[in-house]
Every structure is written in structure tokens, then in C-alpha cells.
Amino acid sequence: THTRSTMPKFINTVVLSLLLTLTLCRAQMPESELRKAIKDHFDGMDSDGNGDLSKDELYQGMMKSWEEGMWSEHSKGDYLDKDQFDEFMNGIHVVQNDHGKVFEDLDTDGDGLITKDEARTYSENVLQIEIMDDIDENKDGIHSYDEFFKFFEKLSSSDEL
């Protein structure tokens, strides 16, 4: 199980966005309205409308947030160059800027640029390997709203936010 300080850091941007929303909502609305706001976000990822998130729905929802947030903010369209790399990685690794990666770790084809595909592969691997299992408490392969809510509530109460 990860806390905000020990979880793989790529997801920090998505998580931080959700946590900031939780914090703002918590300050401005009663618990019932906070749950509704989180439920609305959850329902937005529930593409088949069955009330649970499959691994694919959770994955797609998180990666959509990555693409619309981190990638669009820090890239030059289809790639990152060395000047953008640190800003991009520091954005992904919000709390802890010592991410342990160098440009060449993500530039797998050695062309001097990190393509969207290279950055996405890095991000996808971390999400699939580290985060999705933490959300799925009972390990049934389905991410219920209660599991989703508990995961983000636990992170929002950590001392790292």
C-alpha cells in the first residue's frame, strides 16, 4: 500500500489534482456533497455505467487525465526535449523532485527527444504495476466506488499533501 510520499510518482499529478479537489470540496461542502462530487468523477470514468470501474476503465480515465493535464502542459505537441524534461518530470513527481530518472531513461530510441509514446509507456507501466492494485482492496479486478473513494480519502489525509 502506498502513501502519497511512497507511491510511484508519475501518478502524483493526477492524484494531486484529485486531492486538491477533495481538499477544496471538503472545505466548502458537507461530507455528503463531497461524496457526490467524487461519485460524479467516478461515474465519468465508468463508461459502461455498471457502477464499478474495470481495470480498463480506471486505466483509461487516469491516462486521459495524464494526457489532458501533464502532457499538454509540458510538451511541444508530440515530444519533450531536454529543456522540458525536468519540468515535466517535476510535474509528475510533485512532492519529491528526486525522481531518479534521466532523460535517456525515457528516450528509448536515442533520438534526443522523448516522444509522447515514450512518455506514455513510462507512465502506463507505473500506473498498471503500482497504483491499480492499491485501489482494488479486495483484489477482485473490479474497482468499486467505495474502494476508489477510500483510496483517495486515505491519500488526502496523508501528511504529504
Side-chain angles (χ1 to χ4, degrees):
T1 301
H2 295 285
T3 64
R4 188 121 150 64
S5 62
T6 63
M7 75 170 154
K9 295 163 191 82
F10 123 78
I11 200 69
N12 278 345
T13 298
V14 174
V15 170
L16 183 62
S17 173
L18 290 170
L19 294 178
L20 290 174
T21 300
L22 277 172
T23 302
L24 290 171
C25 290
R26 187 170 277 147
Q28 298 174 4
M29 65 177 66
E31 181 73 18
S32 62
E33 290 181 38
L34 173 63
R35 275 193 164 272
K36 183 184 178 329
I38 294 169
K39 179 79 166 111
D40 289 346
H41 182 74
F42 179 90
D43 289 345
M45 292 193 290
D46 183 14
S47 61
D48 64 8
N50 72 351
D52 291 315
L53 297 179
S54 66
K55 284 185 176 185
D56 186 57
E57 288 171 321
L58 179 62
Y59 168 80
Q60 293 299 328
M62 295 291 230
M63 290 311 296
K64 180 180 178 188
S65 295
W66 173 85
E67 187 163 338
E68 291 173 355
M70 279 308 301
W71 184 256
S72 65
E73 285 179 32
H74 297 288
S75 69
K76 290 183 177 178
D78 292 331
Y79 66 90
L80 295 170
D81 61 24
K82 286 187 179 187
D83 292 334
Q84 298 160 309
F85 175 74
D86 283 333
E87 184 179 334
F88 176 77
M89 292 300 280
N90 289 339
I92 289 174
H93 302 272
V94 176
V95 173
Q96 190 176 21
N97 289 340
D98 182 17
H99 46 75
K101 297 290 181 189
V102 295
F103 187 86
E104 291 74 20
D105 291 335
L106 275 73
D107 181 20
T108 57
D109 63 7
D111 68 355
L113 300 172
I114 296 173
T115 64
K116 186 176 187 177
D117 287 340
E118 289 168 327
R120 186 175 179 93
T121 296
Y122 167 74
S123 302
E124 288 172 340
N125 288 334
V126 173
L127 175 62
Q128 289 179 333
I129 292 168
E130 303 285 343
I131 300 302
M132 293 176 70
D133 281 346
D134 277 359
I135 294 174
D136 187 13
E137 287 181 342
N138 64 5
K139 308 301 181 219
D140 65 354
I142 302 295
H143 304 84
S144 71
Y145 169 71
D146 287 336
E147 289 172 322
F148 183 81
F149 183 82
K150 286 177 190 175
F151 177 79
F152 287 104
E153 186 173 52
K154 178 176 59 174
L155 291 175
S156 71
S157 66
S158 83
D159 60 354
E160 293 293 325
L161 183 63

